[in-house]
């Protein structure tokens, strides 16, 4: 009986092992597909209310068609999608730099933004106003092997 309790205790100890967070240093070694886009507060579009910005964007939107962020070792980056009309945005002059967990994106149009690398996720926040309300969309991109 004591042996059975010992084996059970060992099994429980190993089963409760904490999940390790993967830290990624070389962001160019991965593709970064969009995993979620959450808007806060809840947004209503065409009578439909949701916090899932991807759903609100519609099935043919860029967000719902393999939307991804990719970084090149030459310092350029791009947002890509296979959705209709999604290839119309040019990222020819887009540059990125990384300092610790902060990635600065310069789209080449005179504006820059900082996104955060958190383990195997890149988190981007976008704020906009609609009908006098301020909304924030949180985009989460997750590293996938190339």
């Amino acid at each position: 009986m004591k042996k059975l309790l010992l084996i059970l205790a060992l099994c429980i100890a190993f089963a409760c092992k904490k999940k390790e967070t993967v830290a990624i240093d070389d962001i160019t070694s991965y593709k970064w597909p969009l995993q979620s886009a959450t808007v806060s507060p809840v947004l209503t579009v065409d009578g439909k209310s949701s916090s899932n910005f991807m759903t609100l964007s519609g099935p043919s939107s860029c967000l719902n068609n393999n939307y991804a962020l990719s970084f090149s070792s030459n310092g350029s980056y791009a947002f890509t999608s296979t959705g209709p009309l999604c290839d119309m945005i040019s990222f020819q002059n887009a540059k990125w730099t990384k300092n610790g967990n902060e990635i600065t994106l310069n789209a080449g149009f005179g504006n820059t933004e900082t996104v955060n690398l958190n383990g195997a996720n890149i988190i981007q926040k976008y704020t906009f106003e609609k009908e006098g309300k301020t909304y924030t969309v949180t985009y989460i991109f997750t590293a996938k092997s190339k």
Side-chain angles (χ1 to χ4, degrees):
M1 182 69 167
K2 287 183 182 181
K3 287 183 182 179
L4 183 61
L5 287 174
L6 179 62
I7 291 171
L8 181 62
L10 286 173
C11 289
I12 290 173
F14 286 112
C16 295
K17 194 176 187 181
K18 282 189 175 182
K19 183 179 175 184
E20 287 185 30
T21 302
V22 177
I24 294 178
D25 289 323
D26 182 11
I27 60 175
T28 63
S29 297
Y30 299 88
K31 55 184 174 181
W32 298 87
L34 181 65
Q35 295 302 308
S36 66
T38 306
V39 63
S40 179
V42 170
L43 179 63
T44 302
V45 176
D46 295 330
K48 182 178 179 182
S49 297
S50 179
S51 62
N52 184 341
F53 199 65
M54 293 170 75
T55 302
L56 292 171
S57 299
S60 63
S61 75
C62 297
L63 294 182
N64 290 306
N65 289 279
N66 302 312
Y67 192 70
L69 181 57
S70 61
F71 299 93
S72 297
S73 57
N74 68 2
S76 65
Y77 78 94
F79 286 99
T80 59
S81 177
T82 56
L85 303 177
C86 297
D87 59 350
M88 294 179 69
I89 300 170
S90 173
F91 283 94
Q92 291 177 339
N93 298 318
K95 300 291 181 196
W96 67 273
T97 56
K98 183 174 176 286
N99 184 10
N101 289 338
E102 291 186 343
I103 302 167
T104 301
L105 305 176
N106 181 341
F109 303 112
N111 60 333
T112 61
E113 74 171 301
T114 301
V115 297
N116 293 303
L117 179 62
N118 184 357
N121 293 319
I122 290 177
I123 300 168
Q124 177 187 29
K125 294 192 181 255
Y126 172 70
T127 302
F128 67 95
E129 283 194 32
K130 180 180 177 185
E131 299 172 356
K133 262 189 175 176
T134 301
Y135 296 90
T136 300
V137 182
T138 302
Y139 299 95
I140 297 179
F141 300 85
T142 300
K144 301 290 180 198
S145 297
K146 284 187 176 181

